Amino acid sequence: MSEKIDQFLLEILWTRLISIVDEAAATFVRTAFSSLAREANDFAVVITDAQGRAVAQSSVSIPSFTGTVPATIKYFLKRFPPETLNEGDILITNDPWMGTGHVHDVTLAAPVFWKGQLVAFAGITSHMPDIGGRLRSSGIREIYEEGLQIPMLKLVDRGETNNVIVDFIRTNVRVPDATMGDIWGEVSACHRVTERLHDLLDETQVNFSALSEDIRNRSEAAMREAIAGVPDGRYAYDIEHDGFEDKILIRCGITVDAGAMKIDFTGTTPQLPRSVNVVPNYTSAYTIYGVKALLCPDIPNNEGSSAPVDIFAPEGCILNPRYPAPGGARGMIGHLLPVAVMGALAEATPNRVWAPGSGNSALTIAGEHRGQRYASVYFWNAGQGASANRDGLSLISFPSNLSNSPIELMESSVPVRIRHRRIRRGSGGAGMHRGGDGLDLAFQFIGDSPAVVSFIMTRQRIGPPGIRGGQSGRPGEVTINGVKRDLTEHVVVNPGDEVTIKTAGGGGYGEPVEQRSAVAS
């Protein structure tokens, strides 16, 4: 086959690549042990080329992971150069700076060989049901509290499992069968990508390097064209979050020049001795996601999409922290990055942007009931910001693409009884279009012994702001037995305790009709 790929054939090959990663994702969901994979969708499967450059990812991947997995594979290649890799190898790490930003996600990669040459990588990352340490909380002060750190290692070498690694992981987590079960599910997904990619290459004899380059080049050209549609100039936006003793500020400056974009976070809050720090991989992933979602959402997502975007965050700020800063709750801040981009470009693209919403919230609970250990994570979504075209969606996870945890699953896996789960009506900000509403969930703890609970709850003091005259959404809150709690601390719940979780509403877009009418009169 020639190096220049016909556009019709390219479309067929692209569809085939997506089917490969989607089949691998389905394999992972079927083989994983935890609800984080089966129900919450907290994972991504990615194919890269031999240099670790992203080519394709599964259809419902988490946006952050589609950016971090290729970065991790590039780090793997520094640790394991191509000449040290073999068929049957599986690489593993949860190093936050080389991975997704916190130790709770374990990333695996498998080199794909064809005709004796390294041609691609299969990559996957997923949030584990437990990684040891203290339960995930925004108040944790050092990475060492957050759990087991897995350096870059070969979990499987030429098809042979390194059982020392397996033993270390099992010994350091609360639910070893579930955690290792998910890791073996990730291995299955890597194998499925490898098998199906071999099938594709055998059938078509396509030069995979040429194919991936063609895909990337087309995406890059489309992104440059989309950026060129934004007037050249300097744009800026500040967005605040609750913080701890002081508010957290994300300062986003964007320079658009001839189809390229520079995004500068100078002036952002310094890193904190709390677990809300965001490593560069994660900062880059969600910043680029904001650009792509705003300007070029329909083209295939790959390394080419990010090529025209240059990102800078000063070392030592909350978006580029120094080790050993904790980052278990990095989503609380990282989820602000797409809306920071949109806020900066609101005047230039008023009919495309949407107002800030609230990222998803999480509850982690661990204990023992009827002689059995349990440790589980559940996600609760919030209100999406409104846009120029419609109201924001309620109970949606933006930008993380996570699902609300089913209450039936929660009741069957941990000792709780759900009192209610309903839309928190009226929590979205008013505007020409209203922000989406948050969630109102209540449960009673019915375990036979106390349990430890921690919360990752966003927007507890400062509601998501509106945009272009829209009003802010209502902040969220958590109460235990009717009393508001400090969510930076772990909480011990006792049998009979009642917990109520209310997530924030999204910001509104544009001045409310009644407000405009009053001004006009």
Side-chain angles (χ1 to χ4, degrees):
M1 182 172 291
S2 65
E3 297 297 304
K4 183 65 176 177
I5 300 174
D6 175 86
Q7 63 180 338
F8 299 105
L9 176 59
L10 180 64
E11 178 65 21
I12 294 171
L13 294 172
W14 169 254
T15 303
R16 184 80 173 268
L17 287 173
I18 295 300
S19 73
I20 290 173
V21 284
D22 281 349
E23 184 178 345
T27 298
F28 176 57
V29 170
R30 289 196 298 266
T31 54
F33 279 42
S34 79
S35 63
L36 289 161
R38 298 194 312 271
E39 304 290 347
N41 187 51
D42 198 358
F43 72 96
V45 182
V46 177
I47 294 175
T48 78
D49 67 5
Q51 287 76 48
R53 294 174 295 194
V55 179
Q57 71 277 320
S58 52
S59 300
V60 291
S61 292
I62 302 297
S64 63
F65 291 169
T66 64
T68 63
V69 171
T72 304
I73 291 173
K74 293 183 181 74
Y75 280 117
F76 275 136
L77 281 166
K78 292 180 180 179
R79 173 65 179 83
F80 300 102
E83 62 271 15
T84 70
L85 297 173
N86 304 281
E87 292 190 48
D89 286 354
I90 300 287
L91 311 178
I92 185 172
T93 191
N94 71 342
D95 183 307
W97 271 259
M98 298 180 185
T100 71
H102 69 189
V103 297
H104 309 84
D105 300 326
V106 173
T107 301
L108 268 58
V112 179
F113 290 84
W114 188 59
K115 295 184 176 179
Q117 298 295 317
L118 176 66
V119 295
F121 281 91
I124 181 171
T125 193
S126 181
H127 191 138
M128 293 294 111
D130 187 68
I131 202 67
R134 303 183 70 195
L135 298 188
R136 192 165 65 114
S137 164
S138 62
I140 286 175
R141 292 181 174 273
E142 287 187 308
I143 192 174
Y144 308 111
E145 301 177 57
E146 295 189 299
L148 177 66
Q149 297 180 59
I150 306 170
M152 295 200 148
L153 301 168
K154 282 190 180 182
L155 175 64
V156 181
D157 189 349
R158 294 184 177 89
E160 295 294 324
T161 299
N162 186 332
N163 288 311
V164 173
I165 298 174
V166 175
D167 290 344
F168 263 109
I169 295 172
R170 292 186 62 89
T171 302
N172 282 278
V173 300
R174 296 173 178 85
V175 283
D177 288 344
T179 297
M180 279 310 306
D182 279 11
I183 290 174
W184 291 127
E186 290 185 306
V187 171
S188 298
C190 288
H191 286 329
R192 185 53 52 93
V193 169
T194 300
E195 292 165 2
R196 292 296 182 255
L197 196 54
H198 281 164
D199 292 341
L200 172 64
L201 298 176
D202 288 340
E203 291 172 23
T204 65
Q205 297 294 305
V206 67
N207 181 323
F208 189 77
S209 177
L211 172 62
S212 59
E213 182 178 7
D214 201 348
I215 290 171
R216 292 195 313 274
N217 287 345
R218 290 171 186 263
S219 292
E220 179 178 347
M223 179 61 84
R224 290 191 183 278
E225 182 179 355
I227 294 173
V230 179
D232 287 354
R234 167 79 178 177
Y235 305 91
Y237 184 71
D238 290 352
I239 188 167
E240 292 181 336
H241 198 268
D242 299 344
F244 299 91
E245 291 78 15
D246 298 305
K247 296 175 183 177
I248 294 172
L249 172 69
I250 302 299
R251 175 156 289 164
C252 178
I254 299 179
T255 301
V256 178
D257 182 18
M261 185 177 289
K262 293 183 179 180
I263 302 178
D264 188 344
F265 291 105
T266 298
T268 291
T269 293
Q271 71 181 72
L272 296 173
R274 306 280 189 164
S275 68
V276 293
N277 300 289
V278 185
V279 302
N281 282 356
Y282 199 87
T283 295
S284 176
Y286 266 135
T287 303
I288 290 169
Y289 175 71
V291 175
K292 189 174 188 305
L294 179 65
L295 299 181
C296 204
D298 298 325
I299 65 163
N301 187 47
N302 51 67
E303 201 94 351
S305 305
S306 61
V309 183
D310 181 64
I311 299 167
F312 173 76
E315 185 179 9
C317 81
I318 202 170
L319 300 179
N320 185 7
R322 300 182 183 93
Y323 187 89
R330 85 295 198 225
M332 294 176 69
I333 304 305
H335 290 173
L336 300 178
L337 298 177
V339 293
V341 169
M342 293 181 188
L345 296 176
E347 293 300 323
T349 59
N351 295 322
R352 295 186 183 184
V353 299
W354 55 95
S358 178
N360 71 285
S361 297
L363 175 148
T364 305
I365 181 169
E368 185 173 310
H369 182 62
R370 296 176 180 172
Q372 296 292 321
R373 293 286 306 170
Y374 60 86
S376 295
V377 182
Y378 303 99
F379 293 116
W380 314 116
N381 295 333
Q384 183 189 42
S387 72
N389 304 308
R390 60 167 175 79
D391 293 345
L393 300 177
S394 298
L395 309 187
I396 194 88
S397 175
F398 178 82
S400 62
N401 197 34
L402 295 169
S403 299
N404 287 295
S405 298
I407 58 176
E408 298 84 357
L409 171 72
M410 189 175 180
E411 287 188 326
S412 65
S413 55
V414 297
V416 301
R417 180 179 293 117
I418 303 296
R419 294 300 194 191
H420 65 253
R421 188 175 81 167
R422 58 199 178 205
I423 296 175
R424 190 186 178 198
R425 301 291 183 186
S427 56
M432 181 178 69
H433 293 290
R434 291 190 59 87
D437 289 329
L439 174 75
D440 180 356
L441 170 82
F443 66 86
Q444 182 184 41
F445 180 67
I446 58 173
D448 58 17
S449 59
V452 178
V453 177
S454 67
F455 300 91
I456 303 292
M457 293 291 293
T458 62
R459 296 293 187 184
Q460 296 295 288
R461 293 201 294 263
I462 303 173
I467 200 167
R468 299 184 67 78
Q471 296 180 5
S472 297
R474 291 174 61 187
E477 65 177 38
V478 172
T479 62
I480 299 179
N481 298 326
V483 179
K484 285 188 178 182
R485 300 301 296 260
D486 178 3
L487 301 185
T488 64
E489 300 297 330
H490 293 78
V491 177
V492 175
V493 292
N494 295 292
D497 282 350
E498 301 271 352
V499 179
T500 301
I501 300 169
K502 295 180 180 180
T503 62
Y509 182 100
E511 291 185 0
V513 174
E514 59 272 18
Q515 182 173 316
R516 295 203 309 274
S517 299
V519 171
S521 62

